[in-house]
Amino acid sequence: MIGYKALLFDLDDTLLDRDKAVEKLFFILLKKYYEDTNDSTKKEMLQKFKEYDHRSYGVSDKTRVIESLFEEFPPKYRLPHNYILEFWDYNFPHCFSIDEGIIRIINRIKKHVKVAIITNGSTKRQKAKIMNTHLHNCFDIVIISEEVGFKKPDKRIFELALTQLNVQPEDALFVGDDLEKDIGGCQNAHIKGMWFNPYKIKNDTGIKPYAEINSFDTLLSYFP
């Protein structure tokens, strides 16, 4: 990675597959609180659960996500309102897994440059995800929005990472899936943004990433 001294990563939907984790959480709910459900109903419930989750993305309190499912599809046993957030905070981080190939790539990259995570979200949940997937062993620093008091696309969260890593903006690259929060945000801090776009979604925004990658293997091509 000629000329670069740091590589910064987003967490959810970049390093970790959040959609897959939401599915796992749904099946925990299904097993625990519902009686036998036929396949077509399960499919409909899962789709609705993902919709509820999507609506609450970026909101710390996830109580409404599960309550919405319970309201539309009444369960056999209903989790009490005041225990829902506790259920989410405990179970959701355990629904994440990390691709071993990604770990190998990061460990290879960190032989050459400093590596960091910059993520929006709840400190408790994000730290739990990182610990459960052992990502804490791979990165020099982890910055979580709730912990530092500002979130992407605020340029200050990127500038904080640069300060902690002791690198200049032109010496860093940022990898993230969200064009506005990740790419637009890092560009506000004069960092080159690499758009992680594994599903090859069309860019309909005015934000132009420095590069677009569809897999982490591509990052290795930046090495000499």
Side-chain angles (χ1 to χ4, degrees):
M1 198 172 281
I2 301 171
Y4 293 106
K5 297 177 182 176
L7 186 56
L8 319 175
F9 291 87
D10 168 52
L11 184 64
D12 290 305
D13 296 319
T14 300
L15 290 169
L16 300 180
D17 188 334
R18 191 178 184 283
D19 190 61
K20 196 177 285 184
V22 169
E23 281 195 23
K24 286 184 181 178
L25 185 65
F26 166 75
F27 283 108
I28 291 171
L29 276 167
L30 192 72
K31 185 176 180 180
K32 198 170 180 68
Y33 298 107
Y34 287 87
E35 295 181 286
D36 292 338
T37 312
N38 63 52
D39 288 344
S40 63
T41 304
K42 279 182 197 174
K43 189 175 179 181
E44 184 186 357
M45 288 172 70
L46 176 58
Q47 185 180 345
K48 288 288 187 179
F49 187 66
K50 287 183 175 182
E51 286 175 16
Y52 304 143
D53 172 71
H54 183 71
R55 284 181 211 157
S56 80
Y57 193 63
V59 177
S60 185
D61 188 342
K62 302 296 183 182
T63 304
R64 190 67 197 145
V65 180
I66 292 176
E67 282 196 331
S68 296
L69 184 75
F70 286 169
E71 284 166 12
E72 187 154 356
F73 303 93
K76 181 180 181 183
Y77 306 106
R78 192 179 183 111
L79 182 63
H81 172 87
N82 53 326
Y83 287 105
I84 289 178
L85 190 59
E86 183 182 325
F87 173 91
W88 187 289
D89 284 347
Y90 176 77
N91 287 283
F92 193 46
H94 291 282
C95 293
F96 286 83
S97 58
I98 184 74
D99 187 311
E100 286 303 316
I102 291 175
I103 295 285
R104 283 194 294 272
I105 289 166
I106 292 165
N107 285 333
R108 182 169 161 184
I109 288 170
K110 73 180 291 188
K111 292 177 183 176
H112 301 266
V113 301
K114 296 172 182 177
V115 289
I117 292 173
I118 304 175
T119 177
N120 287 352
S122 149
T123 303
K124 181 180 178 180
R125 282 197 291 267
Q126 299 305 78
K127 280 188 173 178
K129 291 176 195 175
I130 289 164
M131 293 295 289
N132 290 340
T133 53
H134 306 292
L135 281 170
H136 60 290
N137 295 321
C138 302
F139 287 88
D140 296 300
I141 63 166
V142 174
I143 294 179
I144 302 171
S145 65
E146 186 179 78
E147 201 165 40
V148 300
F150 30 79
K151 61 185 181 180
K152 299 176 290 182
D154 191 322
K155 69 176 183 176
R156 291 176 293 175
I157 199 167
F158 298 95
E159 290 170 344
L160 179 62
L162 295 177
T163 300
Q164 290 190 12
L165 294 171
N166 193 27
V167 297
Q168 297 301 310
E170 62 271 18
D171 295 327
L173 289 173
F174 184 88
V175 182
D177 70 293
D178 191 299
L179 280 163
E180 182 188 351
K181 294 186 181 76
D182 293 328
I183 307 307
C186 75
Q187 288 177 349
N188 288 337
H190 306 292
I191 298 169
K192 291 185 178 75
M194 303 182 77
W195 183 30
F196 179 59
N197 185 22
Y199 302 111
K200 300 182 180 177
I201 299 163
K202 185 180 177 184
N203 181 359
D204 290 324
T205 74
I207 297 168
K208 299 195 183 308
Y210 168 68
E212 180 181 331
I213 62 171
N214 306 124
S215 74
F216 275 80
D217 293 343
T218 313
L219 292 172
L220 298 175
S221 67
Y222 285 76
F223 286 94

